[in-house]
Amino acid sequence: MPSATDEVIQRLYSEPPEGFVATRTAAINEARESGDRDTAKRLAALKKPTVAAWVVNLLALRRPELIEELVELSAALREAQRGLDGEQLRELTTQRRQVVAALVGAARRLALEAEPGAKLPLGEVEATLTAALAEPSIAAQVRTGRLIRAATYAGFGEVPRPRLRLVTDEAFDEPDSVEEDEDESAEVVEFPQQSVRERAAAERRRRDFEQKRRELRRELSAAQSAERRADEQLERSEAAERDAEHLVEDLDAELAELERRRTEAQADVARRKQARRSAERETAAARRQVGDVQAALEDLESDEPD
């Protein structure tokens, strides 16, 4: 049975991304108020998912049986590739497209139920599910329901192509040579109908293919490096965001304390002002009394007998 914290995390990744930060902040504050600093720290480390990742998370959390079907198909595809079963591979590839399309449709319905009218990047959702078919590690991430960004995959890899060889009659005439050197029992032959021009064109296509593959590999390496840098930047930005949020919380607490002290100070000023006014009245009364007594004394002294 999932813990209360796991349930909170599941709710975070099930809700639309725009409410993620507010919900996470509320959960962190609740954990802090209850004295559970470990849970608060765990929640603070959670990252906001993209819209595409949220859609995939919805599918994994609410329709896990569909993800299991995807995983089973992925295993079947890899087995067909290893066995070079072309017919089975074609059938599974067709099934793959159908399954991915069905999953994208199911994810779309779940997302629109959660947030009607939302703009959904279904292309990224499809790319993530396709990547999960190709890579077990990506499938494992999808199953958690805690993706933070969409995944991509370049393709399902290359199926090794066997070299075409034609065994000549000479190989059967000299069976002893097979035992001595297997390469001498067969020879690579060119198809006779292939002209020099066709071979040259094929060679150019091969070179073009190799050049394009090298370029794409360089681009892939550069893109992966850029992705790593972007991930690092994102992590730094999210950490800075969390620090800023915590600073705001601390400042809010300080502001509340200052407001309380200000209210108390205003009340003290009012009391002191009242005391001053009372003192002013008493001083005025005392001065009047002094004046009256002085006047009486002067009158008395003026009437003193000689």
Side-chain angles (χ1 to χ4, degrees):
M1 179 178 296
S3 66
T5 303
D6 290 331
E7 291 178 355
V8 171
I9 294 174
Q10 180 173 325
R11 187 174 77 250
L12 276 170
Y13 285 99
S14 297
E15 294 180 353
E18 68 236 17
F20 183 90
V21 173
T23 303
R24 182 185 60 187
T25 300
I28 292 171
N29 291 338
E30 184 177 349
R32 286 175 176 168
E33 290 172 0
S34 65
D36 191 349
R37 299 186 62 84
D38 290 339
T39 296
K41 185 176 180 181
R42 181 182 175 190
L43 294 172
L46 298 177
K47 299 178 181 179
K48 176 181 175 181
T50 64
V51 175
W54 165 64
V55 175
V56 176
N57 289 338
L58 272 183
L59 189 66
L61 294 171
R62 298 185 181 177
R63 296 294 305 276
E65 74 281 1
L66 297 181
I67 301 299
E68 292 304 319
E69 181 180 349
L70 186 78
V71 172
E72 292 174 3
L73 178 59
S74 173
L77 272 169
R78 288 194 298 273
E79 184 65 28
Q81 284 181 305
R82 284 194 293 267
L84 296 178
D85 189 334
E87 184 62 30
Q88 184 185 13
L89 189 58
R90 283 190 293 273
E91 292 177 0
L92 289 172
T93 300
T94 300
Q95 185 179 353
R96 171 181 66 83
R97 288 194 293 267
Q98 295 171 346
V99 168
V100 170
L103 291 179
V104 171
R108 176 181 177 274
R109 288 190 292 273
L110 290 171
L112 290 179
E113 287 175 4
E115 189 175 19
K119 294 182 179 179
L120 305 176
L122 297 181
E124 294 181 34
V125 173
E126 181 179 358
T128 301
L129 295 173
T130 301
L133 268 171
E135 286 289 345
S137 60
I138 297 177
Q141 294 176 31
V142 168
R143 292 167 92 175
T144 66
R146 298 181 186 180
L147 285 181
I148 59 174
R149 62 179 60 86
T152 58
Y153 185 71
F156 280 87
E158 295 183 2
V159 178
R161 298 181 180 179
R163 295 181 64 187
L164 294 177
R165 292 180 179 269
L166 179 63
V167 180
T168 64
D169 292 338
E170 295 176 357
F172 292 98
D173 292 338
E174 300 176 0
D176 293 340
S177 63
V178 175
E179 297 179 0
E180 296 174 358
D181 189 352
E182 183 178 353
D183 287 341
E184 294 179 0
S185 69
E187 63 181 51
V188 179
V189 300
E190 302 287 351
F191 290 102
Q193 68 271 22
Q194 190 177 35
S195 67
V196 174
R197 180 178 298 176
E198 290 172 338
R199 290 198 299 273
E203 179 63 19
R204 284 195 300 272
R205 288 195 297 271
R206 186 191 66 79
R207 288 197 300 268
D208 291 343
F209 171 80
E210 291 296 335
Q211 181 180 356
K212 184 63 175 177
R213 180 163 60 180
R214 287 193 296 270
E215 291 174 354
L216 289 175
R217 283 178 175 172
R218 285 195 296 269
E219 290 180 11
L220 176 61
S221 177
Q224 289 172 336
S225 298
E227 181 185 23
R228 286 192 296 271
R229 291 193 297 271
D231 285 341
E232 293 171 358
Q233 179 62 34
L234 177 61
E235 290 176 1
R236 289 193 294 269
S237 297
E238 289 176 338
E241 179 189 6
R242 289 194 299 271
D243 292 342
E245 289 174 350
H246 296 163
L247 178 60
V248 169
E249 294 170 0
D250 294 341
L251 291 174
D252 284 342
E254 292 179 10
L255 183 61
E257 175 63 18
L258 290 174
E259 185 64 28
R260 183 188 65 79
R261 292 171 58 186
R262 177 176 178 273
T263 301
E264 291 179 353
Q266 286 177 329
D268 187 54
V269 168
R271 288 193 299 270
R272 292 178 184 277
K273 183 179 293 186
Q274 183 65 34
R276 177 183 60 78
R277 289 173 178 171
S278 297
E280 287 176 346
R281 287 194 295 271
E282 291 176 359
T283 299
R287 286 174 179 171
R288 286 195 298 272
Q289 184 177 3
V290 168
D292 292 343
V293 171
Q294 284 180 339
L297 180 59
E298 291 174 355
D299 292 339
L300 178 63
E301 290 177 344
S302 63
D303 295 335
E304 181 179 0
D306 295 333

